[in-house]
Amino acid sequence: MVFTTMDSMMDDIAELKHDIDRKLEKEENNLALLRQCLTRYDTNTTSMIGILNSFEERLENLEKTIIPVYNETENLRRRQENIEKTMHTLDTVLSYYHTAKDVEQTIKEGPAASDLETYMSYLEKVLKAKKYFELYSPKSKEIKDIERIYDDGKDALQLEFRSLLHRHGRPVPPVVILDLLNSDEDLPPIGTDTDLALEQLSEKVVEDLRVISKWLTENGRIDFMKAYTQARSTMLSRSLAGLKEHLKSSSGTLNTSQLSFGNQNSPAGGGKFRPQKDVPTRKSMNKIAKMTKKVLQLEQGHRRQGSFPDPVKEDSSDLETDLYISEMSALLRLMQSEAHLMKGIIPEKHQRTVFDNIIQASLETLVTEGELLATAARKNVSRHDFGAVLSIFPIVQHLRLVKPEFDLLLEGCQAPTRAKLTSLLSTLDSTGAKALEEFTESTRDDKSLNMPKDGIVHQLANQTMMFLEQLQGYCETAGAMLLMHGEKTAPSSTITPDTCRLKAADYMTRVLSALGLNLSNKAQTYNDLALRPIFMLNNLNYILKSMKRSGLLDLLSSWNKEIEFFYNNQILEQKSDYSESWSKVLHYILEMDKPMSQHRTQDQVKVPLLHKLKDKERQNIKDKFTGFNKELEEIYRVQKTYAMPDSELKSALIAENKDYMIPRYTMFYNKYSHLNFTKNRNKYIKYQPSDVAALLDKFFSSSE
């Protein structure tokens, strides 16, 4: 067993040795092969190095041969370029000497003979030639011709600039302006670019003007700005004049001579702007042209001769006001359009100056017309025609509305230009404030004694309430006038819509106080004591109802909450004063002496024909009935001529008369009518209580 195991181990060792020898032999073969490859690679490397060295030597030899050729070629190329540049320069210089001859005819003919682009290219040639001769040959004779042609070209460009403005510039048609104003809507917010909708010149014309303007500006000629200013200023004035003429002719109310403003020598005069029959009436034009009479709806019987303003004068005032407001809004929109139009045509640094000059005439006309309206208002005040003064209030209201837009548009203009509208507003404000204060004084100091015989509403009360009701629509404007130009000027920081309304309410309260005092004084001029309270009742009732109907009462209550109570209390006091007119009648039916005993009276009622009164008692009863009949008929004769147009007041006063008289007369009648105090009863007992009531119903019949 042992030997067998050892033999097996020896076999394994032998086999392992054999494997190792085989692997060793294989690796030796690989190593020999690697050495062969290395030897071959070394041989190839040596061969490649030799080739590269040979190639490098050849390149060096080639470079030594080529570089001189390259340098010579480069020198030749540069010489060629220099020759070409020289030839081009010579051609250019030679062309400068021929420029005058080549372009003179075209330059003289101006841009109108050819298109503007071609003409501008010719001018560029002249400009280049001019610069060349000024730099290299300032004393040559050619420069004189070039400068002459250059000046002719600039003059021709300026002439073309002016010609474009005049050929294509047209006043904006009135209907277009009215549509732009769109009077049925509020003005757009400040800064809104509404002028873009108004194309006064076509895009092609504007582009040509910009090209010419740019060239002239770059070459030191800015005279064209004067032509632009004059042309656009004229178009602006003609547009406004055309609008005014159109509105006057469309109104159909007044002719031109009736208006206090308007440029009679305007180039837009005549019938040029009168509407054609086939042009549809615009909604905004209708609103401005339609003159609505501002006549208050008064109670029947309140109208007195002379208590209403002349309708023709009122319509004239309304038309002037509407025209002026339309002109103001139109000027604002046209100014916005002009400011937009000049962009790109006028250099930016000159735009504010040119714009200032363009609008100067139209703005001055607007301010002058406003001052004329203020002057007319002052004349109306001196004539105590205060209703006409109200025409400046919508103007002031509108001016306050649009002035922020004007101020924004006038930024950068000269100080006098920016101050024009501020000065106008101050003038109108002071005129309005003075008119309001003088109206108060006129109401308080009115001396007219044309008292209505029937005690109806006085003309002064009628006119005062009309004035206040119309003023109510401009209470904030009126309040601002009084705050800024009244007896005590308020700081501008305290002037708000609320303070303006309160100031207006305070003013109206003072006017009503002055009116009440004057009416009370006038009432004292009546000899008929009963007519005094009737007169005051009619006026107080009219004032209170007018305030309620128009909404004035709400406004005045914001200043004085007791105003309605005050007038109601005044009415009660006047009714109490009126009741005293019945004292003579009551004198006969009220027991002045000690009355007859109740027992005796009852007996007389039961057996009136059997009881015989004493002569003195019979005569006393006769005197009572006779006196009552006489005084009742007298007071009826007088008071049936009184007027009480307000049906509610009339019915209430008659009812109070009945409540006051009928129970007393009934008691008197029941007490004495059954007594046997006379054989001729119809002579003394003329009226039963029902007859007295029927007679009282006929009082104040003058108003029927």
Side-chain angles (χ1 to χ4, degrees):
M1 290 290 293
V2 174
F3 290 109
T4 303
T5 303
M6 291 181 62
D7 289 339
S8 176
M9 291 177 60
M10 291 298 291
D11 291 338
D12 292 337
I13 292 171
E15 185 177 355
L16 179 60
K17 180 180 178 184
H18 179 72
D19 289 338
I20 292 172
D21 290 340
R22 189 173 62 252
K23 290 180 180 180
L24 180 60
E25 183 180 0
K26 183 178 179 180
E27 291 298 328
E28 288 177 350
N29 291 335
N30 289 338
L31 181 60
L33 181 61
L34 179 60
R35 286 174 179 170
Q36 290 177 1
C37 290
L38 288 174
T39 301
R40 189 166 57 251
Y41 290 157
D42 289 340
T43 303
N44 291 337
T45 300
T46 302
S47 177
M48 182 60 68
I49 291 173
I51 294 171
L52 290 175
N53 289 334
S54 175
F55 184 70
E56 183 178 4
E57 290 176 359
R58 291 180 181 181
L59 285 177
E60 289 177 356
N61 293 332
L62 180 61
E63 183 179 3
K64 292 177 181 179
T65 304
I66 290 300
I67 285 178
V69 176
Y70 173 78
N71 290 336
E72 184 66 21
T73 303
E74 180 65 19
N75 291 335
L76 291 175
R77 187 186 64 78
R78 290 177 181 174
R79 289 173 185 174
Q80 179 66 28
E81 287 182 355
N82 291 336
I83 291 172
E84 290 177 355
K85 289 180 179 179
T86 301
M87 293 300 295
H88 178 72
T89 302
L90 287 174
D91 290 340
T92 302
V93 171
L94 289 175
S95 68
Y96 292 154
Y97 283 89
H98 295 90
T99 296
K101 181 179 179 181
D102 293 341
V103 304
E104 183 174 10
Q105 185 62 31
T106 303
I107 295 298
K108 283 184 178 181
E109 292 175 353
S114 60
D115 63 279
L116 182 62
E117 184 178 356
T118 301
Y119 190 82
M120 296 304 296
S121 66
Y122 276 46
L123 271 181
E124 284 298 320
K125 291 181 180 180
V126 174
L127 182 60
K128 290 179 180 179
K130 179 176 178 295
K131 290 180 179 179
Y132 170 80
F133 286 115
E134 287 177 345
L135 184 61
Y136 298 106
S137 185
K139 296 182 180 181
S140 64
K141 64 177 183 178
E142 285 81 3
I143 193 172
K144 295 181 180 180
D145 294 335
I146 290 295
E147 288 179 343
R148 175 177 54 79
I149 296 173
Y150 175 74
D151 291 337
D152 291 343
K154 288 196 294 185
D155 293 340
L157 267 187
Q158 291 195 108
L159 182 62
E160 177 65 12
F161 186 89
R162 188 181 298 107
S163 178
L164 284 173
L165 289 172
H166 288 292
R167 286 202 314 268
H168 300 280
R170 295 287 185 276
V172 181
V175 174
V176 174
I177 297 177
L178 292 174
D179 285 343
L180 183 64
L181 294 181
N182 197 9
S183 301
D184 291 327
E185 299 179 1
D186 293 335
L187 291 173
I190 297 174
T192 302
D193 212 1
T194 56
D195 50 292
L196 294 177
L198 183 60
E199 185 181 84
Q200 300 201 52
L201 296 172
S202 66
E203 292 184 6
K204 176 64 169 59
V205 173
V206 172
E207 184 59 32
D208 288 347
L209 290 173
R210 288 175 178 172
V211 170
I212 296 174
S213 167
K214 181 180 179 182
W215 193 92
L216 290 173
T217 303
E218 290 175 351
N219 291 278
R221 293 292 292 269
I222 59 174
D223 295 344
F224 70 93
M225 296 183 192
K226 295 181 180 179
Y228 183 87
T229 299
Q230 182 179 2
R232 296 314 308 166
S233 178
T234 300
M235 288 301 106
L236 180 59
S237 298
R238 290 178 62 186
S239 296
L240 289 175
L243 175 65
K244 288 190 289 186
E245 185 68 23
H246 180 74
L247 292 177
K248 292 175 193 176
S249 61
S250 299
S251 68
T253 305
L254 296 176
N255 56 40
T256 306
S257 62
Q258 288 176 292
L259 298 173
S260 63
F261 61 84
N263 185 4
Q264 302 298 329
N265 297 321
S266 169
K272 183 175 181 180
F273 295 101
R274 295 186 181 276
Q276 302 297 323
K277 292 182 179 180
D278 57 346
V279 176
T281 304
R282 307 285 179 165
K283 181 169 61 174
S284 55
M285 181 178 66
N286 283 340
K287 182 177 180 181
I288 296 174
K290 184 178 180 181
M291 296 294 104
T292 304
K293 295 182 179 180
K294 299 176 181 178
V295 179
L296 299 176
Q297 300 300 319
L298 304 176
E299 299 289 342
Q300 182 181 4
H302 285 168
R303 296 181 176 87
R304 308 300 294 175
Q305 185 176 3
S307 63
F308 287 90
D310 187 345
V312 175
K313 291 183 179 179
E314 186 176 354
D315 283 351
S316 173
S317 177
D318 286 344
L319 178 59
E320 288 189 7
T321 300
D322 288 341
L323 286 179
Y324 189 75
I325 289 175
S326 300
E327 181 184 2
M328 189 185 303
S329 297
L331 177 60
L332 173 62
R333 293 298 174 247
L334 292 173
M335 285 171 57
Q336 290 175 334
S337 179
E338 291 296 338
H340 177 74
L341 180 64
M342 69 169 54
K343 293 178 181 178
I345 298 177
I346 304 299
E348 186 174 356
K349 66 178 181 179
H350 297 290
Q351 285 182 5
R352 288 292 87 190
T353 301
V354 172
F355 181 72
D356 192 317
N357 293 331
I358 289 174
I359 66 172
Q360 199 64 231
S362 297
L363 187 60
E364 183 63 31
T365 299
L366 181 75
V367 172
T368 301
E369 291 172 0
E371 291 173 347
L372 288 175
L373 290 173
T375 301
R378 287 191 289 270
K379 290 180 180 179
N380 289 328
V381 170
S382 65
R383 294 193 297 265
H384 286 194
D385 184 8
F386 294 100
V389 176
L390 288 170
S391 62
I392 70 171
F393 282 78
I395 294 175
V396 173
Q397 185 181 56
H398 187 72
L399 181 55
R400 288 191 192 282
L401 177 66
V402 300
K403 190 173 180 297
E405 289 196 68
F406 273 108
D407 292 341
L408 183 65
L409 199 57
L410 294 175
E411 284 185 0
C413 293
Q414 297 180 5
T417 302
R418 299 197 307 271
K420 286 182 183 295
L421 290 178
T422 302
S423 175
L424 173 61
L425 182 58
S426 178
T427 299
L428 293 172
D429 275 340
S430 61
T431 301
K434 184 178 180 181
L436 292 175
E437 294 298 343
E438 292 199 15
F439 178 75
T440 305
E441 295 178 6
S442 174
T443 302
R444 182 179 60 248
D445 301 333
D446 182 76
K447 303 297 183 182
S448 60
L449 294 177
N450 52 335
M451 301 296 290
K453 296 180 180 180
D454 52 5
I456 205 168
V457 175
H458 194 273
Q459 176 181 344
L460 178 64
N462 197 347
Q463 292 176 339
T464 301
M465 294 311 299
M466 286 178 61
F467 183 85
L468 293 182
E469 288 183 29
Q470 290 176 316
L471 185 63
Q472 181 188 4
Y474 308 101
C475 60
E476 291 184 13
T477 301
M481 289 178 175
L482 294 168
L483 286 171
M484 291 187 292
H485 298 277
E487 295 179 357
K488 295 181 180 179
T489 303
S492 57
S493 59
T494 63
I495 299 178
T496 64
D498 289 338
T499 57
C500 290
R501 288 178 63 85
L502 288 176
K503 185 63 178 179
D506 171 40
Y507 167 77
M508 293 179 183
T509 303
R510 289 190 284 116
V511 171
L512 290 175
S513 177
L515 174 62
L517 179 61
N518 194 304
L519 291 174
S520 179
N521 292 334
K522 290 183 185 300
Q524 299 305 313
T525 62
Y526 283 114
N527 294 324
D528 185 353
L529 298 181
L531 190 54
R532 295 177 183 178
I534 292 296
F535 172 76
M536 291 302 297
L537 276 173
N538 278 325
N539 282 276
L540 291 170
N541 181 71
Y542 165 67
I543 293 171
L544 181 58
K545 283 203 167 184
S546 296
M547 289 194 295
K548 289 181 178 179
R549 182 188 65 250
S550 63
L552 265 177
L553 188 60
D554 294 334
L555 175 62
L556 298 182
S557 295
S558 65
W559 176 255
N560 182 2
K561 296 180 180 180
E562 303 295 327
I563 188 167
E564 184 176 7
F565 171 79
F566 170 79
Y567 275 96
N568 285 327
N569 190 52
Q570 286 288 307
I571 290 174
L572 291 177
E573 289 182 6
Q574 295 302 324
K575 286 182 177 180
S576 177
D577 292 344
Y578 165 74
S579 66
E580 294 179 3
S581 65
W582 291 93
S583 59
K584 291 183 179 181
V585 179
L586 292 175
H587 171 76
Y588 293 100
I589 63 175
L590 295 178
E591 292 290 344
M592 299 301 179
D593 301 323
K594 184 178 179 180
M596 300 173 67
S597 67
Q598 186 70 18
H599 177 73
R600 183 177 179 182
T601 302
Q602 291 175 355
D603 292 341
Q604 291 169 349
V605 171
K606 292 178 182 178
V607 287
L609 299 178
L610 299 177
H611 179 75
K612 186 176 181 180
L613 297 172
K614 296 179 181 180
D615 292 341
K616 183 178 180 181
E617 291 176 336
R618 287 198 301 271
Q619 187 61 44
N620 186 32
I621 296 173
K622 290 179 182 179
D623 291 342
K624 286 180 180 293
F625 275 103
T626 301
F628 173 81
N629 295 337
K630 178 182 178 181
E631 292 300 332
L632 179 62
E633 291 168 356
E634 176 62 21
I635 198 172
Y636 168 70
R637 182 188 67 80
V638 174
Q639 295 197 16
K640 73 175 182 179
T641 63
Y642 294 172
M644 196 159 286
D646 186 86
S647 58
E648 292 183 10
L649 179 62
K650 178 180 177 180
S651 299
L653 195 57
I654 289 176
E656 290 176 11
N657 284 343
K658 289 181 179 180
D659 293 341
Y660 189 62
M661 289 298 303
I662 300 302
R664 290 171 172 79
Y665 181 69
T666 300
M667 184 181 296
F668 171 79
Y669 181 84
N670 291 337
K671 183 175 182 179
Y672 294 109
S673 63
H674 300 291
L675 297 179
N676 188 14
F677 64 91
T678 181
K679 294 180 180 180
N680 190 4
R681 298 177 63 83
N682 292 334
K683 176 181 178 181
Y684 296 100
I685 307 177
K686 289 184 177 182
Y687 302 100
Q688 296 183 12
S690 60
D691 297 329
V692 175
L695 193 64
L696 291 177
D697 285 332
K698 298 178 182 180
F699 275 47
F700 318 122
S701 58
S702 175
S703 56
E704 296 179 354

